[in-house]
Amino acid sequence: QQVSLSPAPVTHRLWLKSDFPSRPLCFDISGTVLLKLLHHPSRELYINGELDSVTNGGFKKIVIRVGSDQRIEVDAEGITVQQGQNVSRHVGLDPIRSGSATIIRTEKEIDIEAEDIRLIIYIHQKDGEHLLWPALRQIPSESNMDGLLVLKSVAYEISQLTPLIKVKINESEVEVTSATTTDYSLGSPRFMECFHASADHILPKPLSDFLVKQL
């Protein structure tokens, strides 16, 4: 009798900006995950993303919500804009204006300006599949924002190299391993080395605080 085995959850490796740009800290997330990329409550601006099903890939879908009646959903094939009860689907390269948002798409990136935030969503290819990756290019000066895209650079120092690698983050010593990851936040993805640890050891707060239940 054959036993049906469920496929292992897809793993995604994310990395954090650090004071050592040549060796950032990185961590893994497994399974189908919706991530809080940027929440700006005072501006009623929310950006969330759904990771795709390609191992160590990027995002399948990114949603920007402005106020209570504006929603912009981006996937690799096009852009869906909802303004109140009106919904439109855009698959070409014509500029889109919706409320306070302006969207300009080219073959390899989508440039979105909403309020005083500018977000670039890069469209990359991996193993024949398209994936998305967001990068903030302009953010307001207020400090009440939350999300993975607005995390500050992590300051760490290497406290031990042998027999195990350990780094010190905020006075806490964390055991890490040498690993590799890909920086998709550029027009041309960049392969790089990183120090790998569990998310809860290197994020400023638990990983669960960066997860959302819906886009």
Side-chain angles (χ1 to χ4, degrees), residues 177-189:
T177 57
S178 289
T180 58
T181 188
T182 302
D183 180 3
Y184 288 114
S185 66
L186 305 167
S188 298

Side-chain angles (χ1 to χ4, degrees), residues 37 47-50 59-64 72-75 112 119 121 132-134 215:
L37 299 177
I47 304 174
N48 298 320
E50 178 183 354
F59 290 85
K60 174 182 179 180
K61 190 180 298 181
I62 294 172
V63 170
I64 300 102
I72 301 165
E73 181 177 307
V74 178
D75 57 52
I112 301 172
L119 178 74
I121 299 176
L132 306 175
W133 198 271
L215 292 176

Side-chain angles (χ1 to χ4, degrees), residues 8 10 42 55 66 71 75 78 80 89 143 153 165 168 177 194:
V10 172
S42 63
T55 299
V66 184
R71 187 177 190 272
D75 57 52
T80 301
R89 176 72 173 171
S143 60
S153 293
I165 306 173
K168 186 176 287 187
T177 57
C194 60

Side-chain angles (χ1 to χ4, degrees), residues 12 16 20 28 31 52 66 71 77 92-93 100 105-106 109 122 129 140 152 180 188 199:
H12 298 274
L16 302 176
F20 293 89
D28 290 344
D52 64 26
V66 184
R71 187 177 190 272
E77 284 71 45
L93 302 181
S100 62
R105 175 174 178 153
T106 64
E109 64 183 60
Y122 291 103
E129 300 287 337
K152 295 180 179 178
T180 58
S188 298

